Amino acid sequence: MPYATYPHVLMYDRPGGTAIQDLLWGDYLGDVLETDGEWSRVEARGPDGWIKTDQMQDNRILEVNFIDVGQGDGCFIVTPDDRYLLIDAGQYANMERFLTWRFNLRYHEQTIKPFEYAIISHPDEDHYRGFAPLFTNERFRFETVCHNGIIERAGDDMLGLKVEHEGQAYLAEVVDTDAELRQLVDQDSMRGGKRYPNMLYQARQTNRVDAFRMVSTDGTSAFLPGYDPVNGDSIAIQILAPVHETLPGSDRKVLRDFGRPGVTKNGHSVVLKLTFGKVRILLGGDLNTKSEAYLLAHYTGLNPLSEDPAEIVRLVAKGREFFEADIAKACHHGSHEFLDVFLRCVNPLATIVSSGDGEPHAHPRPDALGALGKNGRGQRPLIFSTELARSAREGIDKPEKLVALINELEDAIRTATEPAVRAQRQQEKAAAYRLLERSIAVYGMINVRTDGERVIIAQKLEKPGSGGRKYDIHQLELVEGVLQYVP
């Protein structure tokens, strides 16, 4: 199968003619329909067109797509061997709409897409609630749903019972195994009116999730199954958090209580470090100041709040052994809840902020953007934002209006007695779906693609640039063996 070459490929209506499409590195190209000297006519993203024959490559690359899910996080990963992973899915149905568009499911009614992993970084609605329509959609299956072990429940003990040891409180009812989770969410009294356990219960009822498992580490080297370099896997996904502990006389996992339930839930976000060749990507959920301090102290053995400059220098050097990355998803949507010393440990060339409209927190915060730039690597640290990348011209300010229109059209289709009227309403419904899905899929998404030695980070332009260029593309390349931004 041919794919577009690095960093992008322009497709023309005829050899050397007018550009009609801009293809990102790694975009799939259909069969070669004909050739004309150095040119080949291929299908790609709909209509066919002409590209230079030497702009096709055989090997697939890694895709890490940060989707504009609105408020919240949503990351869709495609591996070179065609495995799919989701890390969070936002608060509403935008991820489902994106995946429907991506896999063209509206026009392939029998297709069922299997996901190797769905990872819920923590039980906040703007990270987990978008999984609800996916878990009940018969077009998707999930081999393993991973979570951080904290399952909200009805009653006074929202995060479960707590115990104290040496003055520190711990969550004592962390849910570890598939059997534990199934037993817990099957209890009506435990679920009550809580959205999170009810969503997991519904996922169980559909039989489209094979297994649930807690993702955590005791601070030693831990990897997602199938992504462990010890086993020779080409892509490594290391689990850096949450860090579970065990108390004397027990082998059950516990998690530290950071105070308020929201701070504890966020603080124990699943943190993953993906490594492919020379490229490292850190995915950090909604870490906050308390959890960042805890993680740095745990991994370095030093005090991240120390006022001794020499100790901080040692801590940063040690912390980078675990947390340094070339690309990082900003924790907590660019919130003010961060430690500068943690950002120094991450030290990324590029940071991606996932945030949305309609939220009362002013994310990304000005101080967070300033700190991300200040603590980034290189002369020009890059900062991307799904919210800022969204097109004001072609984006949808209020997608709920389109959803309401689609529902009205579905009612009209059901009640129509004239075939011509029914056909017209079906066309209107299809057009509304295309507009809704296109806005989510195209504008606002930050595309990261890499072969392990080079990287492009691309966002869609609001209107085509010179020569038919449709993307703003930034490149990271190895310079003397070190990945650097190439302006």
Side-chain angles (χ1 to χ4, degrees):
M1 295 183 180
Y3 302 91
T5 54
Y6 177 87
H8 73 127
V9 173
L10 289 173
M11 174 184 282
Y12 298 88
D13 60 351
R14 63 189 184 282
T18 300
I20 59 173
Q21 190 58 276
D22 190 4
L23 305 173
L24 289 177
W25 181 32
D27 276 355
Y28 171 70
L29 306 174
D31 295 332
V32 175
L33 304 175
E34 63 176 302
T35 60
D36 183 357
E38 62 181 356
W39 294 84
S40 294
R41 185 165 68 90
V42 298
E43 291 180 315
R45 291 202 203 148
D48 59 80
W50 294 85
I51 66 172
K52 292 286 187 70
T53 302
D54 63 2
Q55 292 182 318
M56 295 187 288
Q57 66 180 47
D58 292 330
N59 59 307
R60 191 167 190 172
I61 59 176
L62 173 70
E63 294 183 41
V64 182
N65 304 292
F66 295 90
I67 313 303
D68 177 23
V69 292
Q71 175 56 27
D73 278 5
C75 179
F76 170 55
I77 298 175
V78 183
T79 68
D81 56 354
D82 212 27
R83 290 180 286 172
Y84 305 132
L85 299 84
L86 278 183
I87 303 175
D88 291 331
Q91 188 164 353
Y92 303 111
N94 286 344
M95 180 62 81
E96 181 192 33
R97 294 176 189 129
F98 164 76
L99 293 172
T100 297
W101 170 86
R102 170 65 188 253
F103 294 123
N104 205 17
L105 296 182
R106 206 163 303 288
Y107 304 99
H108 294 84
E109 296 181 356
Q110 304 305 314
T111 299
I112 298 176
K113 284 296 178 181
F115 280 76
E116 184 179 20
Y117 286 106
I119 299 168
I120 304 171
S121 66
H122 64 289
D124 265 357
E125 285 195 13
D126 58 346
H127 292 253
Y128 76 76
R129 195 173 165 191
F131 279 114
L134 290 169
F135 289 155
T136 56
N137 189 327
E138 62 185 12
R139 313 301 295 280
F140 303 102
R141 285 197 60 85
F142 299 88
E143 293 179 24
T144 305
V145 172
C146 298
H147 56 89
N148 71 345
I150 299 175
I151 308 299
E152 289 185 294
R153 58 203 76 191
D156 295 334
D157 297 314
M158 185 173 73
L159 304 186
L161 296 175
K162 297 179 185 177
V163 296
E164 283 202 14
H165 177 67
E166 295 182 349
Q168 171 65 52
Y170 295 88
L171 303 185
E173 294 185 319
V174 170
V175 178
D176 186 11
T177 67
D178 180 74
E180 288 174 351
L181 184 135
R182 291 171 185 266
Q183 182 181 28
L184 190 67
V185 301
D186 281 353
Q187 301 174 39
D188 293 342
S189 60
M190 191 287 299
R191 297 196 311 273
K194 293 290 185 180
R195 280 200 176 105
Y196 187 52
N198 275 290
M199 181 190 74
L200 298 177
Y201 174 74
Q202 289 298 324
R204 276 202 8 80
Q205 298 302 105
T206 64
N207 292 318
R208 279 190 278 275
V209 175
D210 294 339
F212 299 87
R213 60 164 290 176
M214 177 183 176
V215 171
S216 67
T217 176
D218 61 2
T220 59
S221 184
F223 294 85
L224 277 183
Y227 297 89
D228 188 339
V230 173
N231 297 330
D233 299 321
S234 60
I235 297 174
I237 301 182
Q238 185 177 5
I239 303 164
L240 293 174
V243 172
H244 68 257
E245 301 174 64
T246 55
L247 300 180
S250 172
D251 59 356
R252 283 193 58 84
K253 296 177 181 178
V254 296
L255 295 173
R256 289 202 176 199
D257 177 38
F258 291 132
R260 299 194 312 274
V263 176
T264 301
K265 288 191 302 180
N266 287 359
H268 287 298
S269 291
V270 174
V271 179
L272 303 173
K273 185 175 181 179
L274 184 154
T275 302
F276 181 42
K278 302 288 187 180
V279 178
R280 302 160 299 170
I281 302 174
L282 187 71
L283 303 162
D286 274 6
L287 294 183
N288 47 42
T289 53
K290 287 191 175 182
S291 59
E292 288 176 357
Y294 169 66
L295 290 173
L296 289 179
H298 176 84
Y299 280 102
T300 68
L302 299 168
N303 179 13
L305 305 180
S306 172
E307 296 182 2
D308 179 1
E311 183 173 6
I312 294 299
V313 168
R314 293 194 300 272
L315 180 143
V316 169
K318 184 67 175 177
R320 286 180 179 175
E321 295 177 13
F322 301 94
F323 295 101
E324 187 174 50
D326 305 296
I327 302 167
K329 185 205 74 73
C331 294
H332 208 166
H333 324 295
S335 161
H336 66 290
E337 283 278 333
F338 64 88
L339 292 179
D340 287 83
V341 68
F342 184 80
L343 297 182
R344 287 175 62 187
C345 291
V346 178
N347 193 32
L349 291 166
T351 302
I352 296 163
V353 182
S354 180
S355 62
D357 297 320
E359 48 85 18
H361 309 294
H363 294 157
R365 298 276 297 220
D367 52 341
L369 291 174
L372 291 170
K374 178 182 177 182
N375 293 290
R377 190 160 83 247
Q379 292 298 311
R380 295 187 178 188
L382 303 172
I383 301 176
F384 297 87
S385 168
T386 58
E387 186 172 357
L388 297 178
R390 187 184 309 120
S391 170
R393 180 169 174 265
E394 293 195 35
I396 299 172
D397 292 331
K398 296 189 178 298
E400 63 272 15
K401 290 187 176 182
L402 265 180
V403 173
L405 173 61
I406 290 168
N407 291 335
E408 291 174 7
L409 290 169
E410 287 177 343
D411 290 339
I413 292 168
R414 282 193 298 270
T415 58
T417 57
E418 296 291 331
V421 173
R422 185 181 300 110
Q424 177 63 29
R425 297 297 174 265
Q426 288 172 336
Q427 290 179 4
E428 292 172 1
K429 174 187 168 185
Y433 262 121
R434 285 196 297 271
L435 179 58
L436 184 62
E437 291 164 0
R438 176 177 171 78
S439 176
I440 294 162
V442 176
Y443 296 99
M445 181 166 68
I446 308 300
N447 304 266
V448 177
R449 302 192 178 186
T450 178
D451 62 359
E453 294 189 351
R454 298 171 296 178
V455 180
I456 65 166
I457 308 174
Q459 57 189 1
K460 192 75 178 287
L461 296 170
E462 293 186 8
K463 63 180 181 179
S466 59
R469 184 173 55 88
K470 295 183 179 180
Y471 286 92
D472 177 35
I473 300 175
H474 296 261
Q475 298 164 223
L476 310 180
E477 297 180 359
L478 291 174
V479 179
E480 296 181 355
V482 179
L483 204 64
Q484 297 184 24
Y485 169 50
V486 181

